[in-house]
Amino acid sequence: MTLYIDPPNWPGHGRMWSHLVSDVSFDELHAFAARLGLPGQAFDGDHYDVLSTAYGDAVRLGAVEVSSREVVRLLRVSGLRRPKR
């Protein structure tokens, strides 16, 4: 089980955010997000939005740090990328 997270470089609502993705399945992604304590509303179609304050916890739980470009590439290659609404 490998999950990936990009740096918290994305501003929104006065905070900075990361994206947490799986390259295998949404089941794997949801299970990891539950372990991390992320609320369901943090799921955004093909990834979870993760506050910068939870970034270190995600890495400690095993998420692999990658660039934002790599997050998108992993989603596309895995077939899990969903177009924006």
Side-chain angles (χ1 to χ4, degrees):
M1 172 162 118
T2 303
L3 282 291
Y4 302 90
I5 192 165
D6 64 358
N9 293 331
W10 301 95
H13 309 286
R15 300 175 179 183
M16 298 302 286
W17 301 83
S18 294
H19 302 104
L20 178 69
V21 302
S22 169
D23 65 346
V24 174
S25 74
F26 290 122
D27 289 339
E28 175 186 58
L29 179 60
H30 295 312
F32 188 91
R35 286 182 48 218
L36 188 54
L38 298 178
Q41 65 262 31
F43 183 65
D44 192 17
D46 57 11
H47 68 275
Y48 275 86
D49 293 322
V50 179
L51 272 171
S52 60
T53 55
Y55 181 85
D57 292 336
V59 172
R60 279 187 287 283
L61 283 174
V64 175
E65 299 170 279
V66 297
S67 69
S68 298
R69 285 182 183 228
E70 184 67 3
V71 161
V72 173
R73 188 192 74 74
L74 288 163
L75 282 173
R76 284 189 180 138
V77 168
S78 69
L80 297 176
R81 180 74 170 153
R82 292 189 176 162
K84 285 290 183 188
R85 298 168 221 129

